[in-house]
Amino acid sequence: MSSDSDTLSHFTPLDELIQVIYQGSGRFVIISSVDESSWTTHVGLTGEEGRWWRGRWTEKDVREVIGSKVSGFLLDSFVEKLSDTFVKGEVSIGNWASEKGSPIQLVFGTNAKTPIQMQLVELSPQDAAVFATKVFVEIALQAQSRKCRLHATSYDIPAAIPAVAASSSTKPSGRRSPQSSTHARSHSPSNTKGKGKASDAYSATESILKRKAEEADDEIQTLKAELEKVKRQQHAIMTDPSKLLPVAKTKPSQAAATKARGVSLANPTKKARKYKPIEFASDDDE
C-alpha cells in the first residue's frame, strides 16, 4: 500500500451504492461513496424523527482492519465481499439506541463469523440538511436524461434494455474480479462518472424508439391493405349470389344411365338389330 489513493482505488465497487434495510420498527437508508481520500457511508433513519449518521474509512482504518502488508489481490477480494454483502442487504445497525449521541455501528455480514463493523457518528441537523440537498441535486442531474422524471416510466424501461444489452456485450461485467485490480486502479472514483453515459444511453434509447415506431407504422399499413382486399372480396360475393353456389357436374355413371335403350354397343350411332326367335314345326303336326 503505497498511498491513500492507491489503496482506496480498490474500493471502487463500493462507490455509488444505495440500500434500504429494516430493523425492528425502523427503516434505514444506506448510501456508500468512495473518493480519493476515504470510503464513506451515510445512514439515514426514515420517519418523523429522521436522523443521519456518517461512517468513514481512510487508508489508516483499512490497515487496522485487514493489515498493512496485504496484497492487492486480497484487498480486491475483501472489497468484493463487502460489495456483495451490501447489495444482498446483509447489513444491520449494531448497538442501536434511539438516544442522541449513542455510539452505533454499521455491520457488514450479519451471518458471517467475523462481521465487519464501521463506527457511525450522528450528523448535526445542518450537516444532515447539506448532505440531503447534495443527494437530491445528484438525483435531479440524473433525471435530466429521463426528461426530468424522478423515476423511469414503464414505457422507457423496455426501450432501455437493448441499449444496456449492447453495452454489456462489448464491456466486461460491472462486478470487478480480483484479476481486474490493475484496470481499477488506473481510474480514480469520481462523483461525476456515469453522467455522460446517461446522456449517450438516452440518445440510443430515443433512436430505438423511433425505429420501432416506424416498423409499427409499416405493419399497420400492411394490415390495412389486407383488410381492404378482404372487404372487396366479400362485397363481390354478396352482389353476385351465384358465386356462393357450387356448379353441379353430371357424373359419368348418371350420363350413361340416361342413354336411350336399344343403342348398339359396338356403334352407338346405329340402332341395335332386333332378332326374332325361330320356331320349328312339331312332329305331331305331320
Side-chain angles (χ1 to χ4, degrees):
M1 299 182 182
S2 58
S3 64
D4 289 2
S5 59
D6 182 65
T7 300
L8 292 169
S9 66
H10 294 268
F11 282 74
T12 304
L14 292 169
D15 189 29
E16 296 185 349
L17 296 180
I18 187 169
Q19 180 63 275
V20 176
I21 63 172
Y22 297 85
Q23 187 163 325
S25 60
R27 182 173 64 173
F28 299 85
V29 58
I30 306 172
I31 301 176
S32 173
S33 60
V34 180
D35 56 27
E36 295 181 354
S37 61
S38 64
W39 167 39
T40 305
T41 60
H42 285 83
V43 179
L45 173 63
T46 64
E48 296 180 356
E49 300 179 357
R51 298 154 64 185
W52 281 97
W53 292 263
R54 178 175 60 202
R56 179 175 292 171
W57 275 13
T58 62
E59 184 198 16
K60 179 181 178 181
D61 299 311
V62 174
R63 288 179 176 178
E64 292 178 354
V65 174
I66 62 176
S68 58
K69 296 183 179 180
V70 67
S71 64
F73 178 84
L74 293 178
L75 184 57
D76 286 336
S77 300
F78 172 76
V79 173
E80 187 175 1
K81 289 181 180 179
L82 282 177
S83 177
D84 290 342
T85 299
F86 190 99
V87 173
K88 293 177 180 178
E90 298 176 355
V91 187
S92 62
I93 307 299
N95 295 331
W96 167 247
S98 59
E99 293 79 9
K100 292 185 178 296
S102 299
I104 61 175
Q105 300 88 30
L106 182 61
V107 182
F108 292 85
T110 53
N111 299 323
K113 294 181 180 179
T114 55
I116 304 299
Q117 297 182 357
M118 173 182 283
Q119 297 296 324
L120 299 176
V121 178
E122 187 171 357
L123 298 180
S124 65
Q126 182 179 359
D127 292 339
V130 170
F131 173 72
T133 303
K134 178 183 176 182
V135 172
F136 279 113
V137 169
E138 294 177 354
I139 294 174
L141 291 174
Q142 295 177 4
Q144 291 179 354
S145 64
R146 303 188 295 269
K147 295 183 179 181
C148 296
R149 294 185 179 275
L150 183 59
H151 304 288
T153 62
S154 58
Y155 180 71
D156 296 334
I157 292 175
I161 293 176
V164 174
S167 61
S168 62
S169 63
T170 56
K171 295 183 180 181
S173 173
R175 180 180 176 182
R176 193 179 68 170
S177 61
Q179 289 79 359
S180 62
S181 59
T182 304
H183 175 72
R185 288 194 294 271
S186 63
H187 300 280
S188 61
S190 173
N191 292 332
T192 59
K193 68 178 182 178
K195 295 176 183 177
K197 293 182 179 179
S199 178
D200 296 339
Y202 174 74
S203 300
T205 300
E206 188 175 13
S207 61
I208 292 173
L209 285 174
K210 184 177 180 180
R211 187 179 69 251
K212 289 186 176 295
E214 293 176 352
E215 293 176 355
D217 185 66
D218 293 340
E219 186 175 357
I220 290 174
Q221 295 300 329
T222 302
L223 292 175
K224 285 184 177 179
E226 293 180 356
L227 181 60
E228 290 296 331
K229 183 178 178 180
V230 172
K231 287 182 177 180
R232 288 195 299 268
Q233 292 177 351
Q234 292 179 346
H235 180 72
I237 292 174
M238 296 303 296
T239 54
D240 189 1
S242 62
K243 295 183 179 180
L244 297 174
L245 300 176
V247 179
K249 296 182 179 180
T250 305
K251 295 182 180 180
S253 60
Q254 294 177 350
T258 57
K259 289 183 178 180
R261 295 183 179 182
V263 178
S264 174
L265 296 178
N267 190 352
T269 58
K270 295 183 179 180
K271 293 183 178 181
R273 295 180 180 179
K274 295 182 180 181
Y275 296 90
K276 185 178 180 181
I278 301 175
E279 296 179 357
F280 297 93
S282 176
D283 293 336
D284 296 336
D285 295 338
E286 295 179 354

